[in-house]
């Protein structure tokens, strides 16, 4: 039974294997987690909208109707409409570079590193502080494909992001990359935006948290992530 009458909109960051289109289906670890949350909220077979990070950030921060649900790293620029009540996964963040021109923490000064637009602050303080000080230059990209084309063409020195998905795609593409420069370990959170005036905000956030807690306790979320990222073993 659906206990919530307010509209819900679901977004998955459009990156393989987080959320992607496979024929007529939407697959990926974030997509599956959101689909299961929707089911537990009594919404049946929900639609997960695929979008780039800037669009999802805007949808969260500028939400004017009902709830927006997604899974993202915390971001200091999120406004007070946004709730992140519980983690869904642990991921290492880092910088990948080509083997012939490796990025390391010994040679970072003056390097030009790409990040998905709007996301440079979410990958860890070590990286963000060097960006803020000007020691590392930032180039904004829309997605992995754009960054990798620029990296192979020598237009950037590295690409910063969530290492698990990036390395899986690099292996699939057969690219010769250097040892990644690890930034830190980050916790991805279930992320909920509630438009002003939406009824049952606290109750809905608490319900979503309870659903995710149950999925973590049963190992369901860990199994979903490890299905797509076998090397990203999750705490249980």
């Amino acid at each position: 039974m659906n206990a919530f009458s307010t509209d819900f909109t679901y977004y998955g960051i459009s990156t393989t294997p987080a959320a992607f289109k496979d024929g007529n289906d939407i697959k990926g670890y974030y997509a599956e987690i959101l689909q299961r949350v929707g089911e537990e909220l009594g919404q049946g077979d929900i639609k997960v909208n695929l979008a780039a990070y800037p669009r999802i950030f805007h949808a969260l921060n500028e939400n004017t109707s009902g709830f927006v649900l997604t899974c993202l790293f915390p971001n200091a620029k999120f406004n007070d409409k946004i709730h992140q009540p519980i983690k869904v996964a642990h991921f290492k963040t880092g910088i990948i570079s080509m083997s012939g021109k490796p990025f390391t923490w010994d040679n970072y000064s003056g390097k030009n590193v790409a990040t998905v637009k709007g996301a440079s602050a979410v990958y860890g303080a070590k990286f963000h502080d060097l960006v803020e000080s000007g020691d590392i230059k930032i180039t904004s990209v829309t997605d992995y494909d754009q960054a990798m084309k620029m990296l192979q063409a020598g237009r950037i020195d590295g690409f910063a992001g969530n290492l698990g998905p990036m390395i899986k795609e690099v292996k699939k593409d057969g690219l010769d990359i250097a040892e990644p420069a690890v930034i830190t370990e980050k916790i991805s959170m279930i992320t909920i935006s509630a438009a002003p005036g939406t009824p049952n905000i606290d109750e809905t956030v608490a319900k979503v948290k309870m659903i995710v807690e149950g999925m973590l306790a049963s190992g369901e979320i860990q199994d979903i992530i490890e299905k797509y990222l076998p090397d990203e073993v999750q705490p249980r």
Side-chain angles (χ1 to χ4, degrees), residues 160-231:
N162 185 340
L163 279 179
M166 289 198 302
I167 290 173
K168 181 170 183 175
E169 288 301 291
V170 162
K171 288 179 178 178
K172 185 180 76 174
D173 294 342
L175 301 179
D176 185 16
I177 64 167
E179 182 70 21
V182 175
I183 300 171
T184 189
E185 183 172 285
K186 295 283 289 185
I187 297 175
S188 179
M189 312 286 289
I190 197 78
T191 306
I192 309 164
S193 171
T198 301
N200 304 319
I201 292 175
D202 291 343
E203 294 87 345
T204 300
V205 172
K207 177 65 174 177
V208 172
K209 180 181 179 183
M210 184 178 71
I211 291 168
V212 174
E213 282 176 341
M215 293 172 68
L216 288 167
S218 70
E220 182 177 3
I221 284 181
Q222 294 92 326
D223 289 343
I224 289 171
I225 292 169
E226 291 168 18
K227 177 172 71 174
Y228 290 97
L229 295 170
D231 295 333

Side-chain angles (χ1 to χ4, degrees), residues 17 61 99 107 114 137 144 152 157 163 188 191 207 227 233:
N61 262 19
S99 62
N107 71 358
K137 311 299 181 185
Y144 166 89
Q152 292 177 82
D157 300 302
L163 279 179
S188 179
T191 306
K207 177 65 174 177
K227 177 172 71 174
V233 178

Side-chain angles (χ1 to χ4, degrees), residues 19-61:
F20 59 96
K21 193 166 185 179
D22 182 17
N24 294 324
D25 299 322
I26 301 297
K27 294 185 178 181
Y29 53 86
Y30 280 160
E32 286 196 25
I33 291 168
L34 292 169
Q35 287 160 354
R36 286 288 295 117
V37 170
E39 288 174 9
E40 292 296 321
L41 286 171
Q43 299 194 317
D45 187 14
I46 61 99
K47 176 185 177 183
V48 176
N49 297 283
L50 302 182
Y53 185 90
R55 181 181 167 196
I56 298 176
F57 180 90
H58 183 268
L60 290 166
N61 262 19

